[in-house]
Amino acid sequence: MGLRGLFTQPEVLKIFGMVPEDISQNFLLWTQILTDTAFAFLPALVAWSTFRVFGGSPVIGIVLGLMLVNPALPNAYEVAAGNASPIIMFGFVPVVGYQGTVLPAFISAIIGATIEKKLRKVIPDAIDLLATPFITLLVTSILALFAIGPVFHSLEELVLQAVQFILALPYGLSGIIIGAIQQVLVITGIHHIFNFLEVQLLANTGENVFNALITAATVGQVGACLAVGVKTKDTKLKQIAYPSALSASLGITEPAIFGINLRFIKPFVMGMIGGAVAGFFGSIFKLAGTGMSVTVLPGTLLYLNNIAKYVIMMLIGFAVSFVLTYMFGYDDKMLEKK
């Protein structure tokens, strides 16, 4: 995703004597299939894994997760971009798809696995194969679509308003707060709503201060993830950490978060601290992008008018999180406990 964002930028294409219109749409479609599939169906993967861990039938988890991203539901990315609207059920319950989300699928799957295990104990074997999956999916889908999901949708609205308030804070406080917590929001999946905020900022001010703070938060996770890879002696963990850190440096942090940093908790916290320090620098020096969507290394193209300070901000966030993680955030004893 990061590489596609980099090589489809007009400034990069110009080096090769090309413009965006020269790129085959079929080629772009293929790259989207390659990079976006896992994210498009992420709830199915989360629900499958959760059912398996909590003692339910993984195949029921897959079906539940696929229900949450059924094409009949308004796409979460389209809703976040303002190109689609939620379906209003019963006159007041907003329902959307849950592409790219983690917590709604996770919570729903825990409930579903619990319901399934209880049903297995009381439903006769003669009808268990038919009745148990049906009842489990019926109850869980109702809760997921009409209760758990709308709660998160309402939470998105509150988070958006809160971030708009935070961006107005003086003395670098906005950078500290957003640099620290933005990657926490990535865990929940509600970070997609900020597409709308970035569009607003560009339309109203001609610049995107939020983009710089996203980079600050992201680069903190890069440093933490790479520090784990450098410090660990476990070959398998290194094999996960290095490509995850590379992916995060191109703006995609989910592999680093879920594969390394959040797994051991402390690296994630050290990454938040690095993000806060970098965010403070970016906020004090009023760094702002000239566009949206790309961050960290590919995002450099949005800061050609202030590239030195942008690079310094990234180096600060990376260095702080790397050093803190290497010294205090990880050792192989944590791997042994896992």
Side-chain angles (χ1 to χ4, degrees):
M1 283 180 168
L3 288 172
R4 183 177 63 233
L6 173 63
F7 289 114
T8 54
Q9 290 294 310
E11 292 85 354
V12 173
L13 290 172
K14 187 177 180 180
I15 297 173
F16 302 98
M18 299 173 63
V19 294
E21 289 74 19
D22 293 331
I23 303 176
S24 168
Q25 292 302 308
N26 290 334
F27 176 77
L28 285 179
L29 177 62
W30 170 73
T31 65
Q32 289 168 353
I33 293 171
L34 175 66
T35 62
D36 298 4
T37 298
F39 292 99
F41 298 99
L42 185 61
L45 300 177
V46 171
W48 163 79
S49 179
T50 305
F51 259 76
R52 182 175 57 84
V53 171
F54 284 85
S57 300
V59 68
I60 298 180
I62 291 175
V63 175
L64 173 65
L66 291 173
M67 285 180 176
L68 299 180
V69 291
N70 190 301
L73 298 173
N75 185 282
Y77 298 106
E78 294 296 317
V79 173
N83 298 325
S85 301
I87 296 173
I88 305 300
M89 299 293 291
F90 314 117
F92 68 96
V93 178
V95 177
V96 300
Y98 298 97
Q99 289 81 5
T101 63
V102 173
L103 287 184
F106 178 62
I107 296 169
S108 301
I110 291 176
I111 295 172
T114 303
I115 292 173
E116 183 195 356
K117 286 191 295 183
K118 291 184 180 298
L119 289 174
R120 298 283 185 199
K121 295 177 181 179
V122 299
I123 291 181
D125 292 342
I127 60 171
D128 176 70
L129 185 63
L130 176 65
T132 299
F134 172 72
I135 297 173
T136 300
L137 287 171
L138 176 65
V139 175
T140 310
S141 64
I142 290 173
L143 292 174
L145 293 175
F146 304 141
I148 298 170
V151 166
F152 274 86
H153 180 74
S154 300
L155 179 61
E156 287 177 351
E157 299 290 336
L158 293 175
V159 169
L160 183 60
Q161 294 174 13
V163 169
Q164 289 174 316
F165 171 78
I166 291 170
L167 280 175
L169 294 176
Y171 311 119
L173 290 175
S174 60
I176 294 173
I177 297 171
I178 295 175
I181 68 170
Q182 191 270 337
Q183 290 296 299
V184 177
L185 300 178
V186 171
I187 298 172
T188 69
I190 64 177
H191 62 294
H192 300 300
I193 61 172
F194 297 128
N195 292 337
F196 178 69
L197 174 61
E198 292 185 82
V199 169
Q200 276 189 323
L201 290 171
L202 287 167
N204 296 336
T205 67
E207 58 183 17
N208 184 357
V209 295
F210 191 66
N211 182 271
L213 303 183
I214 297 176
T215 290
T218 300
V219 80
Q221 297 303 318
V222 176
C225 182
L226 188 60
V228 174
V230 170
K231 189 171 184 180
T232 185
K233 296 180 181 178
D234 184 83
T235 303
K236 185 176 181 180
L237 194 60
K238 284 182 180 291
Q239 291 173 347
I240 299 172
Y242 287 140
S244 295
L246 174 61
S247 175
S249 71
L250 297 174
I252 309 299
T253 54
E254 282 85 351
I257 291 175
F258 296 115
I260 299 293
N261 296 351
L262 197 61
R263 177 182 176 187
F264 301 107
I265 305 298
K266 283 186 179 181
F268 186 77
V269 175
M270 300 307 172
M272 291 173 62
I273 295 173
V277 176
F280 175 74
F281 177 90
S283 185
I284 287 294
F285 285 94
K286 302 186 185 304
L287 276 171
T290 55
M292 57 181 290
S293 297
V294 289
T295 55
V296 202
L297 297 182
T300 303
L301 296 167
L302 304 181
Y303 297 85
L304 297 178
N305 60 344
N306 211 348
I307 192 167
K309 291 178 182 177
Y310 181 75
V311 172
I312 291 172
M313 180 188 74
M314 289 195 294
L315 290 174
I316 289 173
F318 176 85
V320 170
S321 60
F322 184 95
V323 171
L324 288 177
T325 303
Y326 193 90
M327 294 180 64
F328 310 110
Y330 177 80
D331 62 64
D332 279 342
K333 292 180 180 179
M334 299 166 68
L335 184 63
E336 293 169 6
K337 291 178 183 179
K338 293 293 179 183

